[in-house]
Coordinates of all heavy atoms in Angstrom, one line a residue:
M77 N 78.9 34.9 -63.8 CA 79.6 34.5 -62.6 C 81.1 34.3 -62.7 O 81.7 33.5 -62.0 CB 78.9 33.2 -62.0 CG 77.5 33.5 -61.6 SD 76.6 32.1 -60.9 CE 77.4 31.8 -59.4
V79 N 82.6 36.8 -61.6 CA 82.5 37.3 -60.2 C 81.2 37.0 -59.6 O 80.2 36.8 -60.4 CB 82.7 38.8 -60.1 CG1 84.1 39.3 -60.5 CG2 81.7 39.6 -60.9
R80 N 81.1 36.8 -58.3 CA 79.8 36.5 -57.7 C 79.9 36.8 -56.2 O 81.0 37.3 -55.8 CB 79.3 35.0 -58.0 CG 80.4 34.0 -58.3 CD 81.3 33.7 -57.2 NE 80.5 33.4 -56.0 CZ 80.9 33.6 -54.8 NH1 82.1 34.0 -54.5 NH2 80.1 33.2 -53.8
G81 N 78.9 36.6 -55.5 CA 78.9 37.1 -54.1 C 78.3 38.5 -54.0 O 78.8 39.4 -54.8
A82 N 77.4 38.7 -53.1 CA 76.6 40.0 -53.1 C 77.5 41.3 -53.2 O 77.4 42.1 -54.0 CB 75.6 40.0 -52.0
P83 N 78.5 41.4 -52.2 CA 79.3 42.6 -52.2 C 80.1 42.8 -53.5 O 80.2 43.9 -54.0 CB 80.1 42.5 -51.0 CG 79.4 41.6 -50.1 CD 78.8 40.6 -51.0
I85 N 79.5 41.6 -56.5 CA 78.6 41.9 -57.6 C 78.3 43.4 -57.6 O 78.4 44.1 -58.6 CB 77.2 41.1 -57.4 CG1 77.5 39.6 -57.7 CG2 76.2 41.7 -58.3 CD1 76.3 38.8 -57.4
R117 N 71.8 40.2 -62.2 CA 71.5 39.1 -61.2 C 70.5 39.7 -60.3 O 70.7 40.7 -59.6 CB 72.8 38.6 -60.5 CG 73.7 37.9 -61.4 CD 74.6 36.9 -60.7 NE 74.0 35.8 -60.0 CZ 74.6 35.1 -59.2 NH1 75.8 35.3 -58.8 NH2 74.0 34.1 -58.6
A120 N 70.8 39.5 -55.3 CA 71.7 40.3 -54.4 C 71.4 41.8 -54.4 O 71.4 42.4 -55.5 CB 73.2 40.1 -54.9
H188 N 78.2 27.5 -45.8 CA 77.5 27.1 -47.1 C 77.9 28.2 -48.1 O 78.0 29.3 -47.9 CB 76.0 27.1 -46.9 CG 75.2 26.4 -48.0 ND1 75.4 25.1 -48.4 CD2 74.3 27.0 -48.9 CE1 74.6 24.9 -49.4 NE2 73.9 26.0 -49.7
C189 N 78.1 27.7 -49.3 CA 78.4 28.6 -50.5 C 79.8 29.3 -50.2 O 80.6 28.7 -49.5 CB 77.3 29.6 -50.7 SG 77.5 30.5 -52.3
N190 N 80.0 30.4 -50.9 CA 81.2 31.1 -50.6 C 80.8 32.5 -50.2 O 80.4 33.3 -51.0 CB 82.2 31.2 -51.8 CG 83.4 32.1 -51.5 OD1 83.3 33.3 -51.8 ND2 84.4 31.6 -50.8
A191 N 81.0 32.8 -48.9 CA 80.8 34.2 -48.3 C 82.1 34.6 -47.8 O 82.3 35.1 -46.7 CB 79.7 34.1 -47.3
G192 N 83.2 34.3 -48.6 CA 84.5 34.6 -48.2 C 85.1 35.8 -48.9 O 84.3 36.6 -49.5
A195 N 83.9 36.6 -52.3 CA 82.5 37.1 -52.5 C 82.5 38.6 -52.2 O 81.5 39.3 -52.4 CB 81.6 36.4 -51.6
T196 N 83.6 39.1 -51.6 CA 83.6 40.5 -51.2 C 84.8 41.2 -51.8 O 85.3 40.8 -52.9 CB 83.7 40.6 -49.6 OG1 84.9 40.0 -49.2 CG2 82.5 39.9 -49.0
G200 N 85.8 38.7 -46.6 CA 84.6 38.0 -46.7 C 83.6 38.4 -45.5 O 84.0 39.3 -44.7
T201 N 82.5 37.8 -45.5 CA 81.5 38.1 -44.4 C 81.6 36.9 -43.4 O 82.1 37.0 -42.3 CB 80.1 38.4 -44.9 OG1 79.7 37.3 -45.7 CG2 80.1 39.7 -45.8
A202 N 81.0 35.7 -43.9 CA 81.0 34.6 -43.0 C 82.4 34.1 -42.6 O 82.6 33.5 -41.5 CB 80.2 33.4 -43.7
R226 N 76.8 25.1 -58.5 CA 78.0 25.8 -59.0 C 79.2 25.5 -58.1 O 80.3 26.0 -58.4 CB 77.8 27.3 -59.0 CG 76.7 27.8 -60.0 CD 77.2 27.8 -61.4 NE 78.3 28.6 -61.6 CZ 78.6 29.3 -62.8 NH1 77.7 29.2 -63.7 NH2 79.7 30.0 -62.9
Q228 N 80.4 26.5 -55.2 CA 81.2 27.6 -54.6 C 81.9 27.2 -53.4 O 82.9 27.7 -53.0 CB 80.3 28.8 -54.3 CG 79.7 29.6 -55.5 CD 78.3 29.1 -55.9 OE1 78.0 27.9 -55.7 NE2 77.5 29.9 -56.4
L232 N 85.6 27.4 -54.3 CA 86.1 28.7 -53.9 C 86.4 28.8 -52.4 O 87.5 29.2 -52.0 CB 85.0 29.8 -54.2 CG 84.6 29.8 -55.7 CD1 83.5 30.9 -55.9 CD2 85.8 30.1 -56.6
T266 N 76.8 31.7 -42.2 CA 76.6 31.9 -43.7 C 76.6 33.3 -44.0 O 76.6 34.2 -43.1 CB 75.2 31.3 -44.2 OG1 74.2 32.1 -43.8 CG2 75.0 29.9 -43.7
G267 N 76.6 33.6 -45.3 CA 76.4 35.0 -45.8 C 75.0 35.2 -46.2 O 74.1 34.3 -45.9
T268 N 74.7 36.2 -46.9 CA 73.4 36.5 -47.4 C 73.5 37.4 -48.6 O 74.4 38.2 -48.7 CB 72.5 37.1 -46.4 OG1 71.3 37.6 -47.0 CG2 73.1 38.2 -45.6
D269 N 72.6 37.2 -49.5 CA 72.5 38.1 -50.7 C 71.5 39.2 -50.5 O 71.5 40.2 -51.2 CB 72.1 37.3 -51.9 CG 73.2 36.3 -52.2 OD1 73.2 35.2 -51.6 OD2 74.1 36.6 -53.0
A278 N 67.9 35.8 -47.5 CA 68.1 35.1 -48.8 C 69.5 34.8 -48.9 O 70.4 35.6 -48.7 CB 67.6 35.9 -49.9
N279 N 69.8 33.5 -49.2 CA 71.2 33.1 -49.4 C 71.1 31.9 -50.4 O 70.1 31.4 -50.8 CB 71.9 32.8 -48.1 CG 73.4 32.6 -48.3 OD1 74.0 33.5 -48.9 ND2 74.0 31.6 -47.8
K280 N 72.3 31.4 -50.7 CA 72.4 30.3 -51.7 C 71.5 29.1 -51.4 O 71.3 28.8 -50.2 CB 73.9 29.9 -51.7 CG 74.3 28.7 -52.6 CD 73.9 29.0 -54.1 CE 74.4 30.3 -54.6 NZ 73.8 30.7 -55.8
I281 N 70.9 28.6 -52.4 CA 70.0 27.5 -52.2 C 70.6 26.4 -51.3 O 71.7 26.0 -51.4 CB 69.6 26.9 -53.6 CG1 68.4 26.0 -53.5 CG2 70.8 26.2 -54.3 CD1 67.1 26.7 -53.5
T283 N 70.6 26.9 -47.9 CA 70.8 27.6 -46.6 C 69.7 27.3 -45.6 O 69.9 27.0 -44.5 CB 71.0 29.1 -46.8 OG1 72.1 29.3 -47.7 CG2 71.3 29.8 -45.5
A300 N 76.2 36.4 -41.4 CA 77.1 37.6 -41.4 C 76.8 38.5 -42.7 O 76.6 38.0 -43.8 CB 78.6 37.2 -41.5
P302 N 77.1 42.7 -44.5 CA 77.3 44.1 -44.5 C 76.0 44.8 -44.5 O 75.0 44.3 -45.1 CB 78.1 44.3 -45.8 CG 77.8 43.2 -46.7 CD 77.3 42.0 -45.8
E320 N 66.5 34.1 -58.1 CA 67.1 33.9 -59.4 C 67.0 32.4 -59.8 O 67.3 31.5 -59.1 CB 68.6 34.3 -59.4 CG 69.3 34.1 -60.7 CD 70.8 34.5 -60.5 OE1 71.3 34.8 -59.4 OE2 71.5 34.4 -61.6
R322 N 68.5 30.0 -62.7 CA 69.6 30.0 -63.6 C 69.5 28.8 -64.6 O 68.6 28.0 -64.5 CB 71.0 29.9 -62.8 CG 71.2 31.1 -61.9 CD 72.5 31.1 -61.3 NE 73.6 31.0 -62.3 CZ 74.1 32.1 -62.9 NH1 73.7 33.3 -62.7 NH2 75.1 31.9 -63.8
A354 N 68.4 29.3 -57.6 CA 69.8 29.6 -57.1 C 69.8 30.1 -55.6 O 70.9 30.0 -55.0 CB 70.4 30.7 -57.9
F355 N 68.7 30.5 -55.0 CA 68.7 31.0 -53.7 C 67.4 30.5 -52.9 O 66.5 30.0 -53.6 CB 68.7 32.5 -53.6 CG 69.9 33.1 -54.3 CD1 69.9 33.5 -55.6 CD2 71.1 33.3 -53.6 CE1 71.1 34.0 -56.3 CE2 72.2 33.8 -54.2 CZ 72.2 34.1 -55.5
Ligands
MRU406 O1 75.4 32.7 -56.6 P1 76.5 33.4 -55.7 O2 77.8 32.6 -55.8 O3 76.6 34.8 -56.1 O4 75.9 33.3 -54.3 C1 76.7 33.9 -53.2 C2 76.1 33.6 -51.9 O5 75.0 33.0 -51.7 C3 76.8 34.2 -50.8 O6 76.7 33.4 -49.6 C4 76.3 35.6 -50.5 O7 76.4 36.4 -51.7 C5 77.0 36.3 -49.4 S1 78.5 36.8 -50.0 C6 79.3 37.7 -48.8

Side-chain angles (χ1 to χ4, degrees):
M77 293 177 68
V79 292
R80 23 68 50 207
I85 289 170
R117 292 204 64 194
H188 191 64
C189 195
N190 174 267
T196 61
T201 57
R226 294 285 301 212
Q228 289 94 329
L232 304 179
T266 75
T268 166
D269 296 85
N279 194 47
K280 182 54 52 192
I281 193 80
T283 303
E320 177 182 7
R322 296 187 57 84
F355 299 94

